[in-house]
Amino acid sequence: MSWAIRRLLRGVMHLFSWFVIPYTYLVSARIRSHRLPPIENPLLQIPAVTLAGKIRTGQIKSEDVVSAYIERCRQVNPILNAIVEERFEQALAEARQIDEEVAKKLRTEEQMMTETPILGVPVTIKESLAVKGMSNTGGRKLKNKRIAQQDSPVVEQIRKSGGVILLVSNTPELCLCWETYNKCTGLTKNPYNVKRTVGGSSGGEAALISSAASLIGVTTDIAGSSRLPAAFVGVFGHKPSPFSVSPYGHNPSCEDESWGNFFTPGAMCRYAEDLPLLLKAMSDPAGVTLSLDATVNLTEINYYYMENDGPTGLTEPIQPDIQAAIQNVVNHFNAEKVQLKRLIWALDISICKMLRMKNIETIYTQQRDGQPNTTVGKELLKYFCGCSDSDLPSVVIGPMQHIVQNYIPTSRLAFLDQQTELLRKDFLDLLGTNGVFIYPVFPNTAHRHFSIFHKLVDTSYMMVFNTLGFPAASCMVGLDREKLPIGVQIVASPGQDHLIFAVAQELERKYGGWVPPPAQQQH
C-alpha cells in the first residue's frame, strides 16, 4: 500500500470505530460482573513438568489431578463460557487406568518419561482440532452437528504421550476472528474482567488455562490465534516452527500446499517451563525435528527488538504500559534496537497470502456433511437482514477472497511475494541460529468485547510471522494499570523454538509469570 492508502485505511478503521465502540459498550453493559471462585486445590497450581514426574513415581494420582481440574471447570465455566463439550467420565476412567499401570511398575520411570512425557496430565483441546467422538464444528451452526470420526494427528500424539483429554474448548466460527464467539456456544469471557475479550481464535483454551481450569492446552495459530489470547490472559502461547507439529485434522481444512507453512497447532501453558514438554508431546514424529532438549546459555543469545512496526502509518500506537514493559524486557537482555523497513509490508503480504490459499474451507464451500453451498450475495443479504446462521467474519471472507483473487493485479501480487521472501531473508540474516526478536503482540491489552472489528489491521504484529514461517510466542511480563495482563512477543528463526522457550522461562523468572485472576472474597 502507498502511504496515502495506508492513511485512508487507518481513517476507515477510525470511522468504523464510531459504530463499533457504542456496540462494545452496549455488550459490556449487558454482561454481569463476576469474579471467579478462589483457587483452593493446590494440585491446580503445580506445573505439568512437576505433575508428570510425581504421577509416574506414584507420589500423586492422576485421578486426583483430573478430578481437581474437572471440579475447577465446573466452577468457572458458568462464568467464562469456554467449554464446548466435555468428556469428564472418560477422562477419569483413563486416569484410573494410568494409576493402576504406574502401581504395577511395568515400566521404569525413565521409560515413562521418554515414552509418555505427560503421563496422567490433563490436557484441553481447541474444538477445531478433531478429537474422536467429540464436537468438531469449528464453531459453525450446522443442520447436523459434526462429530470427529478420528483424532487429528496432534491429538493422537497427545494421547500417545500419556495426556488425559478433558474437553474441547470454544473458538469463533471457522477460527476466523480474534474474538471468541459463535452462534453455537456463544461468547467466551476474560477471567480478569468478564467485560473484556479473551481474544481469539484460541480463546476457550486461554480462558480455561488462565483461570486454573486447565494446565496445558492444544491451540491453533494462523494469524496470532494462539498468541493474542495468551497475551490477553497472562499465559504463554506458542506458534511452533512449521511442520514440527502436524497441521492436519483441523476444521476448517485446506488443501493448499503452503497451508502448513502458514497454519500450525500451537501450545498454550500457564507455566513457561511446560512449553517444551507440551511441544515434545505434540510433535509430529515424521515432521521437522526440534532441539527441545538443547541447553541454552542466555548470555550467548543475540537479542534484537523493535518497539513498534515502524512508520507504517497503519496500526494504532502501542499502549504506554506495553511500551514500558517492552522497554524493561529490552533493558534486561540488553537488546539491540533494529529497523526492519520491510515490516511496512506486514499487513499487505499476510492478507494477500492467506486469502489466496486454495480450497480453504469456508461457508461458501461444500461441506463434508452435505451442507449446501451459499453465495456471497445471498449470505450478505441474509446477514444484514439478521437471518444468517453465520457470523460477520465468515460472511465477509468470501468477498475478500474474491477481491484479492480477481482484482489485485498479478504484478502487484508478485511484488508482495518478492517482499515476503526479502523480509524472510532479513530476519534469517538478523537472527541466524542464535538470535531472538522482541516485538509487541498487539498495541493494547484486553479490550472490550468486539472492539477487534475496528482494530483488524493491528493483527499484522502477529500475522506476519505466520506468513514468514517463523516460530513465535507471547510471554506474560506483568499487568497494566487496569490489572490486565501484558504479553510480549518473542520470535526466532525456524527450528530454534528452544531459544524462545529459554527466554520465556527467564521472563517468567524475572517478572513472576502467571498471576491468578481476581477471585471472589471468601466469607
Side-chain angles (χ1 to χ4, degrees):
M1 300 178 199
S2 67
W3 182 87
I5 293 177
R6 290 173 186 278
R7 300 305 297 178
L8 175 63
L9 183 55
R10 174 76 176 270
V12 168
M13 289 289 105
H14 181 68
L15 181 63
F16 194 33
S17 72
W18 297 354
F19 300 92
V20 173
I21 290 176
Y23 180 70
T24 68
Y25 276 92
L26 177 63
V27 171
S28 178
R30 295 174 63 182
I31 297 174
R32 184 180 175 185
S33 293
H34 275 290
R35 287 193 172 187
L36 302 180
I39 304 168
E40 296 177 333
N41 193 323
L43 291 175
L44 298 175
Q45 299 195 59
I46 301 176
V49 169
T50 305
L51 268 184
K54 290 182 177 295
I55 289 171
R56 61 177 168 258
T57 56
Q59 298 175 64
I60 292 177
K61 289 188 177 296
S62 174
E63 182 181 0
D64 293 338
V65 177
V66 170
S67 295
Y69 275 98
I70 289 173
E71 176 60 26
R72 183 63 177 171
C73 284
R74 288 172 172 158
Q75 286 180 337
V76 306
N77 195 59
I79 299 171
L80 302 178
N81 190 39
I83 299 173
V84 176
E85 190 173 22
E86 47 88 356
R87 57 185 306 277
F88 293 159
E89 292 305 315
Q90 300 97 309
L92 283 168
E94 291 167 11
R96 293 186 196 106
Q97 184 177 357
I98 288 170
D99 291 332
E100 291 173 4
E101 291 176 358
V102 169
K104 292 176 181 176
K105 298 184 178 180
L106 301 177
R107 293 185 294 165
T108 66
E109 292 175 26
E110 291 74 17
Q111 285 176 320
M112 287 187 282
M113 183 170 60
T114 301
E115 298 167 3
T116 50
I118 55 172
L119 182 66
V121 177
V123 185
T124 50
I125 311 288
K126 186 175 179 178
E127 193 264 357
S128 56
L129 286 162
V131 177
K132 186 177 180 179
M134 303 290 287
S135 172
N136 186 223
T137 65
R140 190 172 178 204
K141 189 175 181 180
L142 297 169
K143 291 179 180 178
N144 299 306
K145 182 179 178 181
R146 179 182 291 180
I147 302 298
Q149 300 304 304
Q150 61 184 24
D151 287 335
S152 60
V154 65
V155 170
E156 185 179 349
Q157 289 305 123
I158 287 291
R159 291 192 196 272
K160 288 181 178 178
S161 297
V164 178
I165 297 173
L166 291 183
L167 54 86
V168 289
S169 61
N170 204 25
T171 176
E173 185 177 17
L174 296 178
C175 302
L176 288 174
C177 191
W178 294 271
E179 172 85 50
T180 298
Y181 76 108
N182 57 62
K183 294 191 176 183
C184 300
T185 308
L187 178 69
T188 298
K189 304 172 188 71
N190 193 312
Y192 291 84
N193 183 338
V194 293
K195 294 178 181 289
R196 299 296 178 111
T197 183
V198 72
S201 61
S202 304
E205 283 301 305
L208 292 169
I209 291 171
S210 67
S211 63
S214 176
L215 179 59
I216 54 177
V218 182
T219 62
T220 65
D221 198 310
I222 192 172
S225 298
S226 184
R227 288 161 285 160
L228 187 65
F232 280 179
V233 302
V235 296
F236 296 84
H238 181 62
K239 182 195 89 67
S241 293
F243 292 106
S244 58
V245 181
S246 173
Y248 307 111
H250 183 261
N251 178 28
S253 60
C254 182
E255 298 174 8
D256 194 291
E257 60 183 14
S258 64
W259 174 245
N261 291 317
F262 207 91
F263 165 87
T264 180
M268 191 177 288
C269 306
R270 207 181 319 143
Y271 303 103
E273 66 185 287
D274 292 337
L275 283 170
L277 175 71
L278 178 54
L279 188 52
K280 185 181 295 185
M282 294 167 56
S283 295
D284 183 358
V288 172
T289 301
L290 301 177
S291 304
L292 297 178
D293 294 322
T295 301
V296 177
N297 186 334
L298 290 168
T299 64
E300 295 179 355
I301 295 177
N302 299 314
Y303 301 92
Y304 307 96
Y305 79 100
M306 285 178 62
E307 54 198 2
N308 53 47
D309 60 348
T312 64
L314 190 60
T315 56
E316 291 286 336
I318 302 297
Q319 181 178 308
D321 289 345
I322 296 177
Q323 284 183 331
I326 290 176
Q327 194 59 52
N328 287 337
V329 172
V330 165
N331 292 340
H332 179 65
F333 290 117
N334 194 26
E336 177 186 343
K337 187 173 184 178
V338 295
Q339 189 67 40
L340 297 171
K341 296 181 179 179
R342 289 191 182 88
L343 276 173
I344 196 171
W345 302 110
L347 182 67
D348 311 55
I349 64 178
S350 300
I351 291 294
C352 287
K353 179 75 170 177
M354 184 164 61
L355 293 178
R356 281 186 292 159
M357 286 190 181
K358 300 174 183 177
N359 300 320
I360 188 169
E361 189 174 354
T362 70
I363 64 171
Y364 301 106
T365 56
Q366 187 73 33
Q367 303 297 303
R368 293 195 299 268
D369 57 10
Q371 182 81 353
N373 288 332
T374 187
T375 64
V376 170
K378 178 182 177 181
E379 205 60 36
L380 283 170
L381 179 62
K382 286 171 62 179
Y383 182 82
F384 289 111
C385 290
C387 301
S388 176
D389 286 333
S390 293
D391 295 314
L392 182 61
S394 293
V395 173
V396 301
I397 193 172
M400 292 173 66
Q401 287 175 318
H402 183 73
I403 290 170
V404 169
Q405 294 171 10
N406 295 280
Y407 292 103
I408 295 183
T410 303
S411 58
R412 181 63 177 176
L413 295 175
F415 170 78
L416 293 177
D417 287 342
Q418 179 187 43
Q419 294 306 310
T420 301
E421 291 307 312
L422 290 172
L423 181 57
R424 178 179 169 82
K425 185 177 184 302
D426 288 343
F427 270 107
L428 288 172
D429 290 345
L430 177 71
L431 301 179
T433 58
N434 197 39
V436 297
F437 182 62
I438 302 164
Y439 200 51
V441 177
F442 198 73
N444 56 259
T445 53
H447 42 242
R448 288 182 178 83
H449 293 286
F450 301 105
S451 295
I452 191 65
F453 287 115
H454 70 90
K455 300 180 178 185
L456 292 173
V457 297
D458 297 332
T459 60
S460 60
Y461 277 100
M462 302 169 290
M463 199 186 313
V464 65
F465 298 110
N466 295 84
T467 307
L468 300 177
F470 279 61
S474 172
C475 302
M476 165 66 165
V477 291
L479 302 174
D480 70 3
R481 63 195 68 190
E482 295 185 66
K483 304 302 180 184
L484 295 169
I486 297 173
V488 62
Q489 191 168 197
I490 307 297
V491 184
S493 292
Q496 309 306 315
D497 301 55
H498 59 288
L499 299 181
I500 295 175
F501 294 164
V503 172
Q505 290 176 53
E506 172 61 13
L507 290 174
E508 183 178 53
R509 184 201 66 78
K510 174 69 175 176
Y511 299 106
W514 171 74
V515 176
Q520 300 168 0
Q521 295 296 318
Q522 293 178 294
H523 299 288

